[in-house]
């Protein structure tokens, strides 16, 4: 809350002195508390091993952008993680289609959507960010770009995922459990030793989705947003709800207004609850990290957890939630 008070105080001074907004912003930045040291946070339990890879970069004073890319590559390459890249659940036609995005401390961002047969979409997104004038490439264009960049094509549909999909086809396409089959995107946020923030988000999307469907995860502002002056947010769950509310941008803007990371995540969930019909049938979880290294999360249903890694070690925490367990 002190940030909000400082900001209001500075805004008032700025207003009375007729200072330019850009000048007020730079005073506000100076007033911010110094970061407490590097930290990385990630969605879900598979965030633990992803965080460990990211921590390897952060603990050696590496950049947050390198940490988040290295970190989320772990679940991307792990066939046991059934919701991210290799081994991910396919769409209803049996194709594994991938969405990912990445954003650094300078508002640079890169994104790929509906990408097939490339195991590390986050690294393709990084290449889009670093080596093109664009933010987002999709489908065949993204795949062509990846191949030109030296990424190797491989079949990402494992025997287990194929068997589950065939079972789903023959079982009358049963309603999926809210927290289990649908919602295990990895979103990762990191603050490095220099005090810079970055984030990454990567997924195979909702299990058995309609062919061609793209979710929130590659959409800057919906599945991920970073403002190095304020904080960063990422999301998991039913992507359409984040897309309709531009959820992660909203979380960052709420932190800009003085909310703590957890309060900002809660307010974004409440926005969904207040605006969108049938929200209670879905899971949405937001995770946020601010410039001071404070973090928090909030979700609709019970069951969303997140992993934290800093100099004190690793933790897996349950997010607070809005509704009683509906599963
Ligand atoms: N947000 C992802 C999507 O809607 C799903 C997930 O988090 O698992 O594609």
């Amino acid at each position: 809350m002190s940030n909000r008070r400082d900001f209001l105080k500075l805004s008032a001074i700025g207003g009375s002195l007729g200072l330019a907004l850009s000048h007020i912003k730079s005073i506000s930045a100076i007033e911010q508390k110094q970061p407490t040291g590097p930290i990385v946070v990630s969605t879900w339990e598979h965030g633990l091993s992803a965080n460990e890879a990211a921590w390897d970069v952060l603990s050696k004073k590496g950049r947050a952008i390198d940490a988040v890319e290295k970190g989320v590559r772990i679940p991307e390459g792990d066939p046991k993680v059934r919701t991210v890249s290799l081994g991910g659940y396919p769409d209803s036609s049996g194709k594994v289609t991938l969405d990912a995005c990445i954003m650094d401390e300078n508002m640079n961002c890169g994104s790929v959507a509906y990408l097939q047969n490339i195991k590390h979409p986050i690294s393709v997104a990084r290449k889009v960010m670093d080596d093109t004038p664009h933010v987002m490439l999709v489908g065949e264009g993204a795949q062509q770009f990846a191949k030109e960049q030296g990424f190797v094509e491989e079949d990402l549909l494992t025997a287990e995922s194929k068997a589950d999909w065939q079972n789903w086809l023959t079982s009358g396409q049963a309603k999926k459990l809210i927290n289990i089959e649908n919602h295990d995107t990895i979103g990762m946020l990191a603050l490095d030793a220099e005090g810079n923030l970055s984030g990454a988000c990567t997924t195979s999307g909702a299990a058995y989705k309609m062919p061609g469907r793209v979710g929130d995860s590659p959409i800057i502002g919906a599945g991920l947003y970073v403002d190095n002056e304020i904080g960063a947010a990422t999301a998991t769950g039913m992507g359409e709800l984040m897309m309709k509310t531009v959820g992660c941008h909203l979380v960052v803007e709420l932190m800009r207004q003085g909310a703590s990371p957890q309060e900002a995540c809660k307010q974004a969930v409440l926005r969904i609850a207040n605006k969108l019909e049938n929200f209670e049938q879905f899971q949405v979880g937001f995770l946020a990290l601010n410039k001071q290294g404070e973090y928090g999360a909030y979700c609709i249903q019970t069951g969303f957890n997140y992993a934290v890694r800093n100099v004190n070690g690793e933790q897996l925490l349950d997010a607070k939630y809005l509704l009683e367990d509906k599963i």
Side-chain angles (χ1 to χ4, degrees), residues 99 182-185 203 205-206 213 215-217 236-240 242:
D99 298 340
N182 262 339
H183 302 300
D184 289 7
T185 291
T203 190
R213 182 264 191 188
D216 61 310
S217 304
T236 181
M238 193 65 188
E240 283 70 9
M242 280 76 92

Side-chain angles (χ1 to χ4, degrees), residues 40 44 54 73 83 113 124 206 213 269 294 296:
V40 56
W44 303 108
R73 283 173 60 101
T83 47
V124 185
R213 182 264 191 188
V269 167
E294 298 161 335

